[in-house]
Amino acid sequence: MPTSAQRLARARALESMVRDIARAEILPRYLKSARNRKPDGSLFTEADMESQRRFSEALPQFLPGAVLGEEMTATEQAHLWNEGGRGMWCIDPIDGTTNFANGIPLFAVSIAYLIDHEPVLGVVYNPITDESFYAARGAGAYLNGTELPLRQGATRLSDAVAGVDFKRISHHLGDELAVRPPYYSQRNFGSSALEWCFVAAGRLDVYLHGGQMLWDYAAGRLILAEAGGQAEALGGGSLMSGPAVKRGVIAAANPGLFAEWSAWVKARS
C-alpha cells in the first residue's frame, strides 16, 4: 500500500505528463481548430481527438488500465467500465470544448485514475492559464503546488458565491434560483471540471449542475473532497455508478455550507 507521500508524488508526476501533452496537442491548436459536431449535436475539434489519442497512449504506461474517454461510443464506455474495477483511466481531453472553439480561455484537460470505480488520482489542467489542480486520495489537493483551499470562503449560504448551470435543472428550481436566490451572487464558466476545482480552491462556495457525465467530475470530485469539500448526486444514488447517465450534482466547499445548500435545493427540486 503506497504511503500518502508516495501517492502525492505519483499525482505530481501525472500532473507533469498532463501539462506536457496539453502543451503539445492543445495549445498549438487554440484559435485554429475547426468546430465539428457529434451525432448528439455536441462539439468536438481536432484538438479533442489528438489529445485523447496521446493520453490513450501515454496513460496506461504510467499506470495499468484501459482509458475511458468522452470521445468514445457509449458501448465502448460501458464495456471499459465493466472491465475496469482493478484500475482504469477516465479522461476528458478538453472539458469546455465550446469555450475552446470560441477562444474563451476557460477549458481544461480532466484526468482521473480509478480503482474499484473510485478516483484515487486526479488532475485538471487549464493550459491557457497554466493552472494545474491535482489530488491523490488521502494526500490532499493542490493548485500548482499550493495546498487547497486557497482561501476560506463563506460559512453562510446568504454570503456564498454559487456556480450554477441553469440549462439542465428543473424549471421550478431554476425559477426559484432566478427570483429568490439564497446566495449572494452566481457564476457559470462553461467548464464543469474547472468549476469543481474553483469550489475546491474557494473561488466558488457552492455548486449546482443539472447534468454531468462521469468524465466531467471524476477528477474534480476527488480534488474537492481532498480540499475538504462535499458533494452528492442531485437525485440521490452514487455519482460513481457508471458512464452512461447524466447526473445532477450538488457541492460545497465545506460540510456545514453543503448541508444548508443541499437542503435548500432539495426542498425546491
Side-chain angles (χ1 to χ4, degrees):
M1 179 71 68
T3 66
S4 60
Q6 290 170 330
R7 292 195 297 273
L8 183 57
R10 185 167 285 173
R12 287 175 172 150
L14 175 62
E15 181 250 1
S16 180
M17 175 195 295
V18 171
R19 282 178 184 265
D20 289 345
I21 293 176
R23 287 170 176 169
E25 301 297 343
I26 297 174
L27 273 181
R29 294 181 169 91
Y30 183 54
L31 303 176
K32 299 176 182 177
S33 286
R35 298 154 57 118
N36 301 283
R37 289 199 178 270
K38 305 175 193 175
D40 65 3
S42 59
L43 292 180
F44 74 95
T45 69
E46 180 188 26
D48 293 87
M49 305 308 294
E50 286 304 308
S51 56
Q52 174 152 308
R53 180 187 60 80
R54 284 286 306 277
F55 282 119
S56 296
E57 294 171 352
L59 291 171
Q61 299 178 39
F62 185 87
L63 282 174
V67 179
L68 187 157
E70 181 182 10
E71 310 304 333
M72 301 173 68
T73 68
T75 300
E76 290 171 327
Q77 291 163 356
H79 174 74
L80 293 180
W81 178 261
N82 292 334
E83 298 296 321
R86 295 184 179 180
M88 67 176 296
W89 293 96
C90 182
I91 74 172
D92 191 343
I94 300 180
D95 179 75
T97 297
T98 298
N99 283 356
F100 174 81
N102 284 273
I104 300 169
L106 288 168
F107 56 87
V109 179
S110 180
I111 305 284
Y113 186 68
L114 282 59
I115 295 177
D116 294 329
H117 296 139
E118 286 291 331
V120 297
L121 297 175
V123 175
V124 174
Y125 177 58
N126 181 344
I128 301 299
T129 62
D130 197 35
E131 287 194 322
S132 184
F133 300 86
Y134 58 93
R137 189 163 68 189
Y142 298 83
L143 167 57
N144 292 353
T146 299
E147 190 168 12
L148 298 178
L150 302 178
R151 57 180 292 275
Q152 297 303 314
T155 57
R156 299 183 305 176
L157 186 55
S158 59
D159 296 326
V161 175
V164 178
D165 188 311
F166 282 89
K167 294 195 299 289
R168 300 177 181 89
I169 59 177
S170 69
H171 291 303
H172 175 69
L173 178 57
D175 290 345
E176 288 290 308
L177 288 165
V179 177
R180 287 175 288 274
Y183 40 69
Y184 169 71
S185 189
Q186 176 264 330
R187 301 288 185 270
N188 175 236
F189 296 102
S191 168
S192 300
L194 284 179
E195 288 166 343
W196 280 89
C197 294
F198 287 176
V199 182
R203 295 170 177 173
L204 296 171
D205 300 301
V206 297
Y207 186 48
L208 175 67
H209 195 293
Q212 293 188 353
M213 302 299 284
L214 177 67
W215 43 83
D216 293 322
Y217 57 77
R221 173 178 174 262
L222 174 65
I223 292 166
L224 175 62
E226 289 297 322
Q230 195 166 336
E232 67 180 9
L234 178 58
S238 172
L239 282 171
M240 305 301 296
S241 57
V245 180
K246 284 187 176 180
R247 295 172 180 83
V249 298
I250 311 172
N254 63 72
L257 192 57
F258 176 82
E260 187 180 0
W261 174 229
S262 178
W264 191 96
V265 170
K266 289 177 180 178
R268 291 157 180 85
S269 296

